[in-house]
């Protein structure tokens, strides 16, 4: 083959590889997209204790997958103290939690049937 026919083939091959790589990258979720999607997951729990003045809630909860946390009983902070209004020990709830700079915070909460 002449060098003039090899170059166009190599250029076409390189262009195809670049386009394929660009397509694969375009299908990847944006950084943080998975975390944002996972953060919206609801977890069931049972209220063990409410400290409305401190904005804290003790829950016995199921696994929180996006935080890689097994089911356990622990204290959470409420992002908004209003989330705790009317709650009492024994209530069953669904909640969303986030790790905010090492603090486990309840970002949404509702009573579960």
């Amino acid at each position: 083959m002449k060098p003039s026919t090899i170059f166009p083939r190599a250029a076409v091959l390189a262009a195809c590889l670049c386009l394929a790589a660009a397509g694969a990258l375009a299908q990847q979720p944006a950084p943080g997209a998975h975390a944002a999607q996972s953060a919206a997951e609801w977890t069931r729990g049972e209220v063990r204790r409410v400290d409305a003045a401190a904005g804290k809630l003790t829950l016995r909860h199921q696994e929180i997958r996006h935080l890689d946390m097994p089911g356990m009983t622990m204290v959470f902070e409420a992002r908004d103290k209003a989330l705790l209004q009317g709650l009492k020990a024994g209530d069953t709830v669904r909640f969303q939690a986030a790790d905010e700079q090492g603090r486990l915070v309840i970002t949404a909460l509702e009573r579960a049937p």
Side-chain angles (χ1 to χ4, degrees):
M1 284 191 164
K2 296 180 185 177
S4 60
T5 59
I6 294 174
F7 176 73
R9 287 183 183 165
V12 169
L13 180 60
C16 289
L17 291 172
C18 287
L19 288 173
L25 288 174
Q27 293 178 0
Q28 297 295 321
H34 179 67
Q37 181 182 14
S38 296
E41 292 179 13
W42 289 87
T43 303
R44 291 184 67 86
E46 179 187 339
V47 176
R48 307 301 280 171
R49 183 171 183 249
V50 180
D51 185 347
K56 295 188 178 188
L57 182 65
T58 304
L59 291 173
R60 184 174 72 196
H61 63 81
Q62 295 177 344
E63 174 186 20
I64 305 175
R65 284 185 228 129
H66 70 278
L67 295 177
D68 196 27
M69 181 181 297
M72 64 179 75
T73 300
M74 60 180 297
V75 178
F76 292 87
E77 290 182 44
R79 182 178 283 169
D80 180 0
K81 289 182 182 182
L83 291 171
L84 306 180
Q85 288 180 346
L87 288 179
K88 63 184 182 319
D91 286 346
T92 301
V93 296
R94 291 178 355 123
F95 66 97
Q96 293 177 342
D99 183 340
E100 295 182 353
Q101 299 176 348
R103 295 180 2 239
L104 295 173
V105 177
I106 292 179
T107 57
L109 183 133
E110 62 185 34
R111 287 200 169 126

